[in-house]
Amino acid sequence: MIDRYHLFLLGSILFLVLCVSAHADEEDPAGPTPVPIWGIDFSPDGTKLAAAAGPRGSKGILTVLDTDTWETIFRIPNPVNLTCVAFSPDGKRLAVGTNDGYVFVVDLATKSTVKRWPSGTWGVFGINWSHDGKQIVAACSNGQLTVFDARSFEPVITFDVWKADGIPNTKPGGHADRNQWDASFTSDGHILLSGGWQDTTRLWSMETGKMIASFPEVDKLTQGVKFTPDERHFLSAGIGLDCVRIRETETFRERITLPISGRDVAIHPGGGLVAASGPASVKVFAVNLDEPSPTAALRIRALVAQAGSDDEDERSLATSKLRNMGPRIEPLLHALQQENPKGFPIQLLALCEQFNKPSEVADFQNVKGDVRQVVFSPRGNKLAASTTEGEIHVWNVPDFSFDQKLEVTIP
């Protein structure tokens, strides 16, 4: 026999169970929770934005958005979170990397995966296409950069930072100390630029398979690397750099240093703006990396000679004219100083230093979460940044007014 007390207790428990069950069946009024976005990319025509997302070690999702309406075009779920994404040069395919070391290609027409293959590593953190669309490079967690044929998906060449430095790899298949995060080809496909989170900035020859240069003393914990549109300069960014460095591709000379420590860097299609992401911010700088014309170069040489005159007025006038020509003349001034270090006018050294100071044009400090990637749209009229809080912030260029704040969720 069940006494009245135990009958009341049993009824109370049953009531609580029913309430919890009913509450669990209700839809969350707040909706799905936004998930970290590790990589974004605009399509070549600027009509789409792709996002690779998902909590680390959990389910992932690829989301493709329409940049006119900002509505979702399609989603592709993945068992493990996605880490990076890149549109092919023709805009017909997407290459995607995963946190468990896979690469897959999505056909935009059919909105489906056409190929999926293992990189042989613990994770793929960066992905990119060659300019002709024939190759895909995967920046891997074990310190390797593997270049695949984009049609057969067979490996073409693998660059190993451990072998390049003559050091044994501590974790060949795992999360090594020199994991790679980003890579980019030159337009002719001859050079590959790479950056590693626990490594440095490196340049590789696709023809010889050898490393061309690295910068371990100054570029530490590199994450984002990019060539400028004319490829005369390359950029490197990372938490360990405490800055963004812009170097000349031919000489490796450090040209400009941007005062921001961040995860990624992007160069405007026109070449005059550089965006960089900090831990919770985005900054944009105006830079002048243009090259003077041959006619202007002759005039610059004449003015430099005039700036070394014994006549004070002549020196002052020449220096003023050089200053008015702007930062684009700095490389030539530097070259002339190297040619004649003792005879180079001393006041022009200060001018070169002035030309190498960037101008900050935008500073966004209200970004929620760690900003993982920044990208300019192909037409250069939009700047987008993705965060670990599941948000994509979009600003208009060149006035940098706010445009959109989007969220990526897993339905």
Side-chain angles (χ1 to χ4, degrees), residues 93 105 114-117 136 148-155:
R93 293 168 292 168
V105 172
V114 295
K115 180 67 178 180
R116 180 184 178 92
W117 72 102
I136 298 170
F148 297 92
D149 184 284
R151 291 297 178 187
S152 67
F153 305 109
E154 293 296 323

Side-chain angles (χ1 to χ4, degrees), residues 240-260:
L241 273 65
D242 292 326
C243 64
V244 172
R245 289 191 170 91
I246 304 177
R247 292 185 174 92
E248 295 175 347
T249 306
E250 186 175 342
T251 66
F252 312 137
R253 180 175 77 97
E254 191 172 318
R255 172 81 183 278
I256 298 174
T257 301
L258 308 180
I260 180 171

Side-chain angles (χ1 to χ4, degrees), residues 66-114:
D66 184 307
T67 57
D68 281 333
T69 64
W70 295 111
E71 295 294 327
T72 299
I73 300 173
F74 69 91
R75 297 185 179 95
I76 295 180
N78 193 68
V80 178
N81 71 286
L82 308 180
T83 52
C84 48
V85 61
F87 278 93
S88 61
D90 61 8
K92 295 180 179 179
R93 293 168 292 168
L94 277 169
V96 186
T98 76
N99 203 37
D100 60 349
Y102 278 83
V103 175
F104 64 90
V105 172
V106 173
D107 181 271
L108 271 295
T110 62
K111 302 179 179 62
S112 62
T113 302
V114 295

Side-chain angles (χ1 to χ4, degrees), residues 23-36:
H23 180 73
D25 289 338
E26 292 178 359
E27 291 187 4
D28 182 359
T33 303
V35 295

